[in-house]
Amino acid sequence: PPAGPAPRSGALSPFDRRLKRKQKNWAALQAEPAKCDYLREEVGGRIADRVFDITRTFPLALDVGSGRGYIAQHLTKETVEKLIQVDVAENALKNAVETEIPTFRVVADEEFLPFKENTFDLVVSSLRTLTAKPRETVICVLQIHQVLKPDGVFIGAMFGGDTLYELRCSLQLAELEREGGFSPHVSPFTAVADLGHLLSRAGFNTLTVDTDEIQVNYPGLFEVMEDLQGKCSMGESNCSWNRKPLLHRETMLAAAAIYREMYGNSDGSVPATFQIYYMIGWKYHESQAKPARRGSATVSFGDLAKIEGLISRGKK
């Protein structure tokens, strides 16, 4: 299926969907996938842990933006009986890791899921899909909500707003100094304040959002850039429509010096921080617990200050 038409003049989408598909297909063909996919492997395991925390078996699950199966390899058939993996990059699905779960693979754009409404008991998504600004991400989340069954659960992870702040700051300072201005070289990320609104707007309830940081050390800025854009790419290079085609050599050297000066470790390496937001949302069902009626509380928050005294009195 096509990756979706290019935005018309005046459209809100900041991303080139066709380029994103090419990036992911190219990244999936790179050698030594275990070396390249360390971050997705780690986050996939953490999402699987959240699936295990829900004490139920899911007859049919969907992995949106599955890649090579970073979540599936951590799941068991006792938790998920059948799994469908969807990714826009056919090369990623061809190289998917085999698991004990019966699995079917579908090539499709994550913003146009080819499934009927109320189909899946569980939907998971790790980093590969939910990386855009809220107005872009909401399209994917709306699709996920639609294909979930009532009382189905969505568990996802996305890059947070502070991801790669060291790299972005270094590049911006170097460009301002050498070229008198700057343009984005890393795809934009969502702020945590937007997530609750994003999930609520899509129709989810009983929401849980938490954040985590993973820090990776590199020899220098050029290795960070190589990991993101080239040899060890995770298929998430910048694909904004207003991206700049290249950085001048002098600017890159200046950015590398700024990176090391501002953030460098004592051993000569430089850190790259990946902020990860984890989210859990449920599709409404009448059997779910409902919040108490406003004003129905029998205890005031002011009484909480007296709780120690009441406990002591009870023990006596």
Side-chain angles (χ1 to χ4, degrees):
R8 298 182 302 274
S9 176
L12 293 178
S13 174
F15 291 101
D16 184 339
R17 299 293 299 174
R18 289 190 177 90
L19 177 59
K20 177 61 69 177
R21 183 175 187 173
K22 289 180 180 178
Q23 287 176 348
K24 291 182 177 180
N25 264 320
W26 183 88
L29 293 177
Q30 300 311 296
E32 301 182 54
K35 178 183 176 183
C36 300
D37 293 335
Y38 56 88
L39 187 62
R40 298 193 186 285
E41 300 274 1
E42 177 65 26
V43 176
R46 298 186 187 190
I47 287 184
D49 288 341
R50 287 163 169 78
V51 175
F52 294 140
D53 287 340
I54 301 173
T55 55
R56 67 168 68 175
T57 298
F58 300 98
L60 183 60
L62 172 67
D63 186 352
V64 181
S66 62
R68 296 191 312 108
Y70 308 104
I71 302 175
Q73 62 185 314
H74 299 286
L75 298 173
T76 65
K77 60 183 178 182
E78 287 76 27
T79 303
V80 174
E81 295 179 349
K82 188 182 296 184
L83 176 68
I84 295 179
Q85 295 177 324
V86 170
D87 200 284
V88 71
E90 57 269 24
N91 291 334
L93 294 176
K94 289 177 182 176
N95 296 317
V97 178
E98 295 297 329
T99 69
E100 63 181 35
I101 304 171
T103 303
F104 302 89
R105 300 180 177 97
V106 178
V107 178
D109 192 320
E110 298 93 341
E111 291 190 5
F112 304 95
L113 295 177
F115 305 107
K116 294 182 179 179
E117 189 175 355
N118 303 328
T119 298
F120 297 96
D121 305 280
L122 165 71
V123 177
V124 293
S125 181
S126 176
L127 300 181
R128 201 171 178 90
T129 302
L130 307 176
T131 57
K133 291 182 178 179
R135 60 184 153 190
E136 298 296 318
T137 306
V138 73
I139 299 174
C140 298
V141 177
L142 284 168
Q143 291 276 302
I144 290 170
H145 183 270
Q146 183 174 348
V147 300
L148 266 176
K149 291 180 179 178
D151 201 34
V153 60
F154 165 54
I155 304 177
M158 64 190 301
F159 288 115
D162 288 337
T163 294
L164 298 174
Y165 71 87
E166 305 98 337
L167 173 64
R168 287 184 288 167
C169 183
S170 300
L171 289 173
Q172 288 175 8
L173 289 174
E175 279 193 283
L176 284 171
E177 177 189 348
R178 298 302 173 105
E179 303 180 30
F182 65 88
S183 63
H185 297 280
V186 180
S187 290
F189 302 110
T190 300
V192 68
D194 297 322
L195 273 187
H197 176 65
L198 172 69
L199 294 171
S200 298
R201 182 179 169 189
F204 288 99
N205 56 41
T206 318
L207 307 176
T208 302
V209 176
D210 64 287
T211 182
D212 196 4
E213 285 189 355
I214 300 175
Q215 192 174 87
V216 182
N217 291 325
Y218 294 88
L221 176 140
F222 293 101
E223 286 77 14
V224 177
M225 298 288 286
E226 181 184 34
D227 191 53
L228 295 172
Q229 297 178 344
K231 189 176 178 181
C232 266
S233 175
M234 293 175 290
E236 293 299 344
S237 301
N238 184 31
C239 62
S240 300
W241 286 101
N242 63 340
R243 63 189 178 275
K244 195 174 181 178
L246 58 86
L247 282 166
H248 295 104
R249 180 175 181 274
E250 293 77 12
T251 303
M252 289 295 294
L253 291 173
I258 292 171
Y259 203 140
R260 194 175 302 279
E261 179 67 25
M262 292 182 62
Y263 305 106
N265 298 317
S266 58
D267 61 359
S269 64
V270 296
T273 300
F274 298 90
Q275 185 180 40
I276 313 297
Y277 297 153
Y278 298 92
M279 67 204 84
I280 301 176
W282 295 79
K283 188 169 181 176
Y284 174 78
H285 187 268
E286 58 184 11
S287 65
Q288 294 172 349
K290 299 176 178 60
R293 181 175 53 84
R294 184 178 178 85
S296 62
T298 57
V299 179
S300 168
F301 275 109
D303 295 334
L304 293 177
K306 308 173 185 176
I307 193 167
E308 289 187 6
L310 293 173
I311 293 174
S312 299
R313 201 179 310 162
K315 288 181 178 179
K316 290 179 182 179

